[in-house]
């Protein structure tokens, strides 16, 4: 089963807007979907919050100021693992 991908680009936003946009997007994320985030840096405080609230994430540095983060609900763990692979 393919996961629906919802994309948000927070790379041009100033703190704390990226975290607010990402958390707001996660609150509306359909069941079984993955949030694809385009960011300019690794948001370590976000990662801590995600793990504490039952989310899985995978980040990949694509270029110097270009990070792609995929986030999914922990209950979709196997789907997410297959999606990332």
């Amino acid at each position: 089963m393919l996961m629906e991908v919802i994309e948000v680009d927070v790379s041009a936003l100033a703190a704390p807007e990226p975290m607010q946009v990402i958390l707001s997007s996660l609150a509306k994320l359909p069941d079984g979907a993955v949030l694809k985030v385009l960011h300019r840096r690794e948001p370590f405080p976000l990662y801590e919050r995600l793990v504490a609230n039952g989310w899985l994430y995978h980040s990949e540095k694509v270029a110097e100021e270009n990070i792609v983060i995929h986030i999914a609900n922990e209950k979709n763990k196997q789907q997410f693992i297959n999606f990332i692979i």
Side-chain angles (χ1 to χ4, degrees):
M1 181 178 181
L2 292 176
M3 296 186 85
E4 176 186 4
V5 178
I6 309 238
E7 184 174 309
V8 293
D9 185 349
V10 299
S11 58
L13 302 177
E17 289 179 272
M19 172 117 40
Q20 293 168 340
V21 169
I22 294 166
L23 294 177
S24 173
S25 298
L26 288 173
K28 300 180 281 189
L29 193 68
D31 188 37
V34 63
L35 184 66
K36 178 181 180 181
V37 179
L38 307 177
H39 210 306
R40 69 177 171 274
R41 64 178 188 83
E42 292 273 1
F44 293 107
L46 172 70
Y47 296 158
E48 293 172 18
R49 203 152 168 188
L50 291 175
V51 171
N53 289 290
W55 295 97
L56 302 169
Y57 70 89
H58 177 267
S59 65
E60 181 179 351
K61 188 173 187 174
V62 183
E64 187 53 42
E65 289 194 359
N66 190 353
I67 307 287
V68 176
I69 308 159
H70 290 94
I71 306 169
N73 194 297
E74 196 169 29
K75 68 182 178 183
N76 300 312
K77 185 174 185 173
Q78 193 57 53
Q79 275 181 283
F80 187 60
I81 290 168
N82 293 338
F83 173 83
I84 294 302
I85 296 172

